Amino acid sequence: MNQISKNEVKALGFDQKVLDDFQNEVSKSIQQKEIAGAVTLIARKGKIVHFEAQGESQMETHIPMQKNAIFRLASMTKPIATLALLLLMEDGKCKPNDSVSKYLPEFASQQIMLSKDSVDGMWLYKTRAATKPMLIRHVLTHTTGQPSAYGGNMPEAYAAITKNAYSSDIENYVKKLAKLPLSHEPGEGWIYGPGLLVAGRIVEVISGMPFQDFVQKRILDPLGMKDTHFFLEPKDAPRLTSYYQPDGKGGLALIDPGSEKSIRIRGSKTYYSGSGGLNSTAIDYFKFSQMILQDGELNGVRIAKPSTIAMMKTDQTPLNLEAAITPTDDLKNNGFTFGYAIKRKDIGNDPRPAGTIYWSGATGPIFFIDPSHEMIAMVLYQRPSTSPIKIRTDFKSWVMKSLIK
């Protein structure tokens, strides 16, 4: 998996000038203090075509960005957590259409919200009993109806149970989540939400192991993802990137430092979130993505059966649902697999081919896997996705433009 020389880039079908031009855009973003630094990785047919680090990983200490810098993956954790539960399906321990309540009884009597009102700051909800059970497939595709920060009709309730989540554990969090009404019947809508936290708890109940231990044993260790962890050790601090947000004055303000003071190092280490808790490097995430591309195998080590990985590469949501947080058109061209968003058809403004699977993280990073071109592409940086920058929104276009055959 070594990076190829520049004279081999063209042979693998890339225009080096376009790749260089994108790196110039990254450099501009750094100079304009939109981001501190970034790592970009593009690979095809198992070979790394483009691997660059620019800027600083920690502006306060002026540590240069390195290719092995550690980033907060946020929701790029979800495909890894999804695979954990799929491996238990592969073991014959559960099925996609099993009711969640079979493993988590607290989900046995779900309510659907009809209306809400408030009296002196207290929220009152009018509900009815759900007529459909919540299934495992729903928690893996964001079709449970559970509210979240990204959708649903009760953000205040979701915020209340999430406020101190990090000081507890996923068992406690999921029990609170089960008490919230649903925004719609399971399977009848798409709300990007906390389903992967539920999935992580199901993994614990079925396997009898802490979620993080199962992920370590069945995925991270076999793949050699030695730099991927839910929480880091003090020795990792020099490589941990600092996390910034716009300061409103044309610069960046620190949210979480790349030091031993980071919550990722000094945190309580009790809340292991399959929804967004992992930290990793570009190379480690490439290893996982390449295994997905190769139908469950990497470097002679089989992680999962091809039939298991196939569920991560095929749309698992009804075609009338649009699996996008902010739909850009009415084409309903974004589906959701077990683990990823997927482009359904070769229509619309997205230059990537149908079958491309992708997602991103709220802390900034973004990636996609294009099976038709055997390609993986990612750009990692640390700035909230709620204030997107041009290199993030244009990344897919730059990558597809660089592909000449």
Side-chain angles (χ1 to χ4, degrees), residues 104-346:
L104 304 176
E106 57 264 36
F107 285 93
S109 301
Q110 293 289 280
Q111 296 287 310
I112 309 294
M113 196 183 84
L114 298 175
S115 63
K116 69 177 182 179
D117 201 353
S118 63
V119 177
D120 294 333
M122 180 185 298
W123 287 97
L124 305 173
Y125 301 99
K126 184 178 181 181
T127 65
R128 64 165 174 82
T131 60
K132 296 181 179 180
M134 185 186 296
L135 307 178
I136 284 180
R137 68 167 50 255
H138 298 145
V139 305
L140 295 178
T141 54
H142 305 285
T143 55
T144 59
Q146 291 167 326
S148 77
Y150 296 93
N153 42 19
M154 56 201 94
E156 66 291 330
Y158 178 77
I161 69 163
T162 305
K163 185 177 180 182
N164 295 313
Y166 286 93
S167 63
S168 186
D169 56 30
I170 62 171
E171 178 181 6
N172 182 61
Y173 178 83
V174 167
K175 284 180 177 176
K176 288 182 180 179
L177 183 65
K179 294 177 181 178
L180 297 189
L182 305 179
S183 296
H184 57 72
E185 289 280 353
E188 293 188 358
W190 194 86
I191 300 169
Y192 183 55
L196 269 298
L197 284 153
V198 179
R201 179 61 188 145
I202 295 173
V203 168
E204 292 190 329
V205 170
I206 294 176
S207 71
M209 296 172 62
F211 172 64
Q212 66 275 17
D213 292 351
F214 186 89
V215 170
Q216 192 74 43
K217 180 181 177 181
R218 295 290 296 271
I219 301 173
L220 303 181
D221 284 347
L223 284 173
M225 295 172 67
K226 60 182 175 56
D227 286 325
T228 303
H229 306 284
F230 285 97
F231 291 97
L232 302 171
E233 299 299 325
K235 65 180 175 59
D236 300 314
R239 287 195 293 140
L240 176 61
T241 48
S242 291
Y243 180 32
Y244 302 96
Q245 64 185 356
D247 64 4
K249 298 177 282 189
L252 294 169
L254 186 66
I255 300 175
D256 187 51
S259 73
E260 292 184 26
K261 294 180 180 179
S262 169
I263 192 170
R264 300 306 176 105
I265 293 175
R266 63 169 176 79
S268 62
K269 301 184 182 180
T270 59
Y271 187 75
Y272 292 85
S273 169
S275 191
L278 283 173
N279 308 282
S280 189
T281 62
I283 282 291
D284 269 14
Y285 208 74
F286 164 67
K287 289 177 181 177
F288 182 83
S289 301
Q290 189 64 34
M291 178 273 295
I292 296 293
L293 196 54
Q294 294 177 183
D295 298 324
E297 180 273 334
L298 184 73
N299 296 332
V301 178
R302 179 151 295 283
I303 304 298
K305 294 177 181 177
S307 57
T308 298
I309 301 301
M311 293 189 286
M312 300 183 75
K313 292 181 174 179
T314 52
D315 194 5
Q316 303 289 335
T317 47
L319 293 176
N320 65 309
L321 299 183
E322 167 80 347
I325 297 172
T326 52
T328 55
D329 50 47
D330 59 1
L331 298 174
K332 290 187 170 59
N333 198 21
N334 297 284
F336 218 86
T337 74
F338 290 159
Y340 300 96
I342 185 169
K343 185 179 176 184
R344 287 170 167 159
K345 302 181 286 287
D346 283 316

